[in-house]
Amino acid sequence: MVESLDQLFVNLKHWALGFLPEALQPLVSAVLSIVPLVAVFGGLFAIVTIFERKGLGRIQNRYGPNRVGIPFTDIRLAGFGQFIPDGIKALIKEDVVPRAADKVVHFLAPVVLLIPVLLTYAVLPIGRNMTVVDFDAGVLFFFSVGAAVEISVFMAGWSSRNKYSLLGAMRGIAQMISYEIPLILSAVTVIMLVGSLKTSDIVAAQAGFTAGLPNWFVLTPWGFAGFVMFLIAALAESNRAPFDLPEAESELIAGYFTEYSGFKFALFFLGEYLGMFAIIGLGITLFLGGWHAPFPFLTWVPSYVWFMTKLLAIVFFFIWVRGTLPRLRMDQLMSFAWKFMIPMALINLVVAAVWHFMAGTGAARWVVCALLIAGPYVLLGRGLMENKHLGKRTYRFAD
Amino acid sequence: MLGEAIIKGMAVTAKNFFGSYVSKERLPTVQYPEERLVPKENARQFPFLVYDGDDWEKGLRCVSCQICEKECPPKCIYIIKSKDKKPDYKGQAQFYPARFDIDISVCMSCGICAEVCPFESIKMDTEFELSTGDRFGGLLLPKEKLAKSNEHYRKVHPTDAAASDAVLAAEIAKAEAKAKAAAEAKVKADAEKKPA
């Protein structure tokens, strides 16, 4: 029973494929894997926008959307129907293209954003046996395809012929390229210790429990540091607050998609959220045990439920961060990436190696690795702040 | 320096998030059409015409002096003076407005009309739900719609209404005293006339 529930979707697909002739099966199999994935994550996007607006509202002591429910009825569903009118609005709005814009590139930019983002979902293990294409270079594929997003940002910013768009694109590319390094370096630790780029191998390496706790990489010193850095870099990669400089409503209107309206704007929005889900999904796969249950007595819950729960938990954390932290300045963003994140990620690589070679020494490797991370963290943090003269601002004439 | 402040900030927002579900203090929004606040006493929206008694046409205080029409900065008041006269609250024959329109799409709610009115007849209302589908006719209020009872005025602005009532009572007392004095003078004059 538990087994069949866990493999429900896998078996359903195989059952459906059984009705088809041999020649059609690979093609239909691919379609049957892709369509539900796009539908589920598209739906998740719709729901998460509501969660985000409601969550930010509660953080700011207000309700957020709570009126729209099921259309043509009085059922309000606490506002969870809001995405329907939002979507209709985006669809029926006029699509304005600036006269000076490069029309072809302007049109292609949102498509170029969405395609690599959707491609990254191919290697995410959503559940047991539920990876669309489980191939050997999975993580590498994820990062290389994910990096194509920068092209779209640049296309959108450059083709709009708008200073805000161009500034947004400039910031966006600078930020994405800078934060891709700590993102990949923190992921490399996992790849080093697992010895495989295949996402299903990485999940399999985190199976099982020791002393009631799961064998997730986040529960090791290097894994914890790596996970924190991965989350920070993921925030920056998905252009979310506090790293939302490319969009920066208050300075750049909407950054590189200032000149987009109607459905193209919605596509940018969708692409951004799908990119965030994908990168969170990779974070879960690398550090949070993928679809594995957190406790031995919860292993009966289907694997895809665990994946989605972890995904939503991190999405809520991202919303929480967005509601808390103010936007960084461009130079702060850059110095944080290059002077703090990258050195820490490199140190973390060494720590992961030390962890690997101290296997079998018990508590000693915990102490050594924890010190190896905490020491540089404190020293780097203090050192970077040394000449900053932070504190209460004093005024020469105003006081 | 090491990210403690971020954790502190996250704690503050988390407190606000969860607090908004339990404490009214952290969620002060009034969900307007269902819940509403009692309007503040010194709130003002658009002017209305005060009348005494039950019949608005008979009790209308306005004597169509047209001061408000002349003072109104955006010129949203339109008055046509009557040809005949009718008795006012103290029985004196006065003109009345044959027509009194206020275009509330032009009115800027300054309250100058209410301040300059020497007859305590135009006052500011607190009614604000005046949206209408007809943006010309629906927002041009004739005197039938503008006339509201003194009881209504007492309800929306109790302090101002009391002051206005006192002014009117003093006016009536003065008129009565004057009438009495006139009557006495007449009696006296008659008495002086008789012996002659």
Side-chain angles (χ1 to χ4, degrees):
Chain A
M1 178 61 209
V2 169
E3 192 64 28
S4 64
L5 197 65
D6 189 36
Q7 295 298 302
L8 176 66
F9 298 114
V10 179
N11 292 337
L12 212 63
K13 188 181 129 184
H14 283 298
W15 173 77
L17 280 181
F19 291 100
L20 290 164
E22 195 82 16
L24 271 176
Q25 277 190 9
L27 185 72
V28 177
S29 165
V31 170
L32 282 182
S33 304
I34 293 163
V35 171
L37 202 72
V38 173
V40 164
F41 280 94
L44 193 68
F45 157 68
I47 296 298
V48 162
T49 53
I50 310 295
F51 273 126
E52 177 145 29
R53 291 172 65 183
K54 287 183 88 73
L56 286 180
R58 290 284 173 171
I59 284 171
Q60 295 160 6
N61 294 353
R62 56 186 174 78
Y63 281 98
N66 65 350
R67 299 272 149 177
V68 188
I70 300 167
F72 309 114
T73 60
D74 285 338
I75 306 160
R76 275 189 178 168
L77 295 178
F80 278 99
Q82 183 71 44
F83 67 89
I84 302 168
D86 280 358
I88 295 170
K89 182 190 153 200
L91 272 172
I92 63 175
K93 266 206 163 178
E94 188 190 352
D95 179 25
V96 184
V97 180
R99 192 186 295 165
D102 186 336
K103 304 253 172 357
V104 179
V105 182
H106 189 265
F107 176 83
L108 280 178
V111 183
V112 173
L113 175 70
L114 206 56
I115 287 173
V117 163
L118 286 175
L119 277 177
T120 54
Y121 282 90
V123 294
L124 288 184
I126 315 274
R128 190 176 279 128
N129 305 329
M130 283 168 77
T131 316
V132 179
V133 233
D134 193 16
F135 66 108
D136 287 343
V139 179
L140 184 68
F141 173 79
F142 186 99
F143 285 126
S144 48
V145 168
V149 169
E150 272 109 276
I151 300 174
S152 152
V153 169
F154 187 60
M155 280 166 73
W158 186 260
S159 66
S160 295
R161 289 251 186 139
N162 175 317
K163 54 184 176 292
Y164 297 117
S165 300
L166 191 58
L167 274 172
M170 193 189 77
R171 286 179 174 191
I173 292 163
Q175 169 180 332
M176 283 175 170
I177 290 175
S178 307
Y179 277 86
E180 210 137 81
I181 302 165
L183 185 79
I184 294 172
L185 282 179
S186 57
V188 162
T189 53
V190 175
I191 295 161
M192 258 166 60
L193 289 204
V194 175
S196 170
L197 280 162
K198 200 171 176 177
T199 46
S200 57
D201 284 355
I202 293 169
V203 175
Q206 301 178 72
F209 300 91
T210 28
L213 284 172
N215 290 335
W216 298 353
F217 291 139
V218 73
L219 298 174
T220 58
W222 62 270
F224 180 74
F227 181 61
V228 171
M229 280 187 288
F230 189 90
L231 272 194
I232 295 171
L235 270 176
E237 273 299 289
S238 49
N239 292 336
R240 286 183 60 87
F243 303 110
D244 56 349
L245 287 103
E247 278 148 54
E249 299 93 338
S250 49
E251 307 151 30
L252 298 179
I253 309 167
Y256 51 86
F257 50 84
T258 301
E259 292 294 357
Y260 283 87
S261 51
F263 198 62
K264 287 183 198 156
F265 182 83
L267 276 184
F268 267 111
F269 212 54
L270 176 75
E272 207 146 82
Y273 272 81
L274 288 184
M276 177 177 84
F277 298 151
I279 213 154
I280 292 174
L282 187 73
I284 293 167
T285 307
L286 292 174
F287 296 100
L288 285 180
W291 40 261
H292 285 300
F295 297 107
F297 58 88
L298 286 173
T299 43
W300 56 272
V301 178
S303 53
Y304 45 85
V305 174
W306 280 121
F307 184 85
M308 284 297 170
T309 313
K310 290 172 188 174
L311 185 76
L312 276 179
I314 298 183
V315 166
F316 286 139
F317 177 75
F318 275 18
I319 294 170
W320 183 16
V321 168
R322 183 177 167 189
T324 308
L325 299 179
R327 189 181 304 136
L328 268 74
R329 219 168 49 210
M330 195 67 202
D331 62 317
Q332 293 170 334
L333 179 97
M334 283 294 145
S335 66
F336 186 63
W338 293 96
K339 293 183 190 162
F340 184 80
M341 293 280 283
I342 293 175
M344 278 309 289
L346 288 171
I347 289 164
N348 200 34
L349 274 182
V350 177
V351 175
V354 170
W355 177 268
H356 178 68
F357 288 118
M358 282 179 83
T361 51
R365 74 168 174 172
W366 278 85
V367 175
V368 169
C369 288
L371 280 178
L372 272 177
I373 289 165
Y377 173 65
V378 173
L379 290 176
L380 255 178
R382 291 267 154 81
L384 286 176
M385 288 298 161
E386 218 161 41
N387 300 321
K388 283 284 164 64
H389 309 295
L390 294 182
K392 197 163 178 272
R393 180 173 285 191
T394 50
Y395 297 93
R396 212 155 21 123
F397 301 112
D399 279 332
Chain B
M1 299 295 140
L2 298 171
E4 313 98 278
I6 292 176
I7 293 167
K8 261 188 230 165
M10 301 283 276
V12 169
T13 44
K15 215 188 274 171
N16 275 310
F17 181 85
F18 292 111
S20 72
Y21 287 98
V22 287
S23 106
K24 191 76 197 154
E25 211 171 290
R26 289 197 191 271
L27 197 62
T29 313
V30 177
Q31 304 221 54
Y32 161 61
E34 292 93 19
E35 317 164 12
R36 45 185 73 217
L37 294 171
V38 183
K40 292 272 186 334
E41 208 199 312
N42 44 6
R44 62 162 195 251
Q45 295 297 332
F46 295 113
F48 70 100
L49 295 174
V50 191
Y51 69 85
D52 298 303
D54 301 321
D55 186 3
W56 71 268
E57 267 190 302
K58 217 185 267 173
L60 210 60
R61 288 178 186 170
C62 180
V63 300
S64 148
C65 66
Q66 291 172 309
I67 294 177
C68 53
E69 189 185 17
K70 285 174 191 121
E71 290 286 341
C72 179
K75 299 274 174 259
C76 68
I77 304 178
Y78 177 69
I79 302 172
I80 294 178
K81 209 177 205 169
S82 64
K83 299 271 182 287
D84 55 333
K85 288 187 175 184
K86 65 167 191 155
D88 68 350
Y89 63 98
K90 37 185 188 184
Q92 202 177 332
Q94 293 276 23
F95 291 109
Y96 61 93
R99 191 161 173 189
F100 196 114
D101 295 341
I102 294 179
D103 189 347
I104 58 166
S105 68
V106 175
C107 176
M108 62 182 200
S109 309
C110 61
I112 287 176
C113 52
E115 271 172 43
V116 297
C117 182
F119 299 95
E120 305 288 337
S121 81
I122 188 164
K123 293 290 172 194
M124 300 305 281
D125 202 355
T126 51
E127 173 68 46
F128 58 91
E129 286 154 317
L130 297 157
S131 57
T132 163
D134 174 12
R135 71 185 163 121
F136 301 111
L139 294 173
L140 184 69
L141 302 185
K143 63 176 177 176
E144 301 89 84
K145 281 194 188 155
L146 288 169
K148 279 171 187 168
S149 70
N150 198 21
E151 275 67 50
H152 172 79
Y153 184 38
R154 282 183 189 136
K155 209 168 72 198
V156 297
H157 295 308
T159 318
D160 293 352
S164 144
D165 284 349
V167 168
L168 290 182
E171 285 281 321
I172 293 174
K174 218 162 89 187
E176 272 172 2
K178 209 172 158 191
K180 214 168 147 190
E184 269 168 22
K186 206 181 168 197
V187 169
K188 217 172 166 185
D190 286 351
E192 270 170 17
K193 232 183 240 174
K194 254 178 195 169

